[in-house]
Amino acid sequence: MALLNILEFPDPRLRTVAEPVTVFDGALSQLIDDMFETMYEAPGIGLAATQVDVHKRLIVIDVSEARDEPLVFINPQVEVLDEALDEYDEGCLSVPGFYETVQRPQHVRVTAQDRNGESFTMEPQGLLAVCIQHEIDHLDGKLFVDYLSSLKRTRIRKKLEKQHRLRA
Ligand code: QAP
Ligand code: CO
């Protein structure tokens, strides 16, 4: 197992659109395990491959309190079941230290493949529904800060750029 480096906003690599996963092999399984280790260590509730600079359509999530319900979604697709929007305070391991309210549909159907390539469907609500949409956005090169005003987004970008300069 290995901890992976997480890209931070405004790194342009976070804007890459990920490619579908076509090969379900040991290397993919190893990547999934490393992504879980990285997410749990952070700690976070969701991580997309894009965030660790792997541009494949793969996300890992665990929204459970006990941190014992790992979920893998490969080539995920979302269908909105209820158009009503609800608000959640979202954060992101690629935007450390910032949380902002975002509106999204709260009831979706997700179809994806597991690490063996088997298809499955689920109909999550609430935090899990929000988290899946947040992570799929990463696979399309999108970040939660894109839903904020340009003023807020610019403020967050400048603060993170300053931190990155101090760290370098
Ligand atoms: C996405 O985000 C999410 O700022 C997953 O300093 C989050 O795991 C979807 C984290 C909330 C819906 C609601 C953020 C850790 C973790 C930070 C995360 C930080 C340390 C974020
Ligand atoms: Co994120």
Side-chain angles (χ1 to χ4, degrees):
M1 298 258 273
L3 288 178
L4 305 171
N5 180 52
I6 299 175
L7 301 177
E8 292 187 5
F9 177 66
D11 192 308
R13 290 171 289 183
L14 288 168
R15 299 309 187 177
T16 310
V17 177
E19 299 286 342
V21 171
T22 55
V23 181
F24 295 80
D25 60 2
L28 180 71
S29 238
Q30 180 66 57
L31 172 62
I32 291 166
D33 291 341
D34 290 345
M35 284 175 61
F36 274 117
E37 190 182 4
T38 303
M39 180 189 77
Y40 285 124
E41 199 269 342
I45 60 170
L47 184 68
T50 306
Q51 294 175 274
V52 294
D53 204 20
V54 175
H55 301 287
K56 293 183 185 168
R57 303 193 75 83
L58 159 61
I59 66 185
V60 299
I61 290 180
D62 189 340
V63 296
S64 72
E65 290 283 342
R67 323 281 295 145
D68 60 356
E69 293 172 34
L71 299 172
V72 181
F73 299 86
I74 299 171
N75 302 324
Q77 289 197 288
V78 156
E79 191 185 328
V80 174
L81 295 180
D82 182 348
E83 299 285 345
L85 301 180
D86 205 347
E87 304 192 324
Y88 255 91
D89 270 353
E90 294 190 22
C92 181
L93 289 169
S94 295
V95 191
F98 296 90
Y99 284 82
E100 295 286 346
T101 304
V102 176
Q103 294 191 338
R104 299 185 193 265
Q106 302 285 308
H107 192 193
V108 297
R109 176 181 295 138
V110 184
T111 305
Q113 285 163 281
D114 66 15
R115 68 168 84 204
N116 302 312
E118 294 292 329
S119 288
F120 66 94
T121 298
M122 52 192 283
E123 296 187 0
Q125 303 197 40
L127 180 59
L128 180 55
V130 169
C131 195
I132 289 171
Q133 293 174 79
H134 174 117
E135 301 309 334
I136 292 176
D137 273 354
H138 279 299
L139 304 181
D140 293 323
K142 249 184 132 182
L143 296 166
F144 84 94
V145 297
D146 300 344
Y147 297 97
L148 309 178
S149 68
S150 59
L151 179 66
K152 275 191 180 168
R153 187 165 51 254
T154 300
R155 275 199 196 129
I156 293 171
R157 178 173 55 76
K158 292 200 161 146
K159 285 183 186 164
L160 284 173
E161 280 171 342
K162 186 173 176 187
Q163 283 182 25
H164 297 162
R165 274 200 303 279
L166 292 170
R167 223 183 281 163

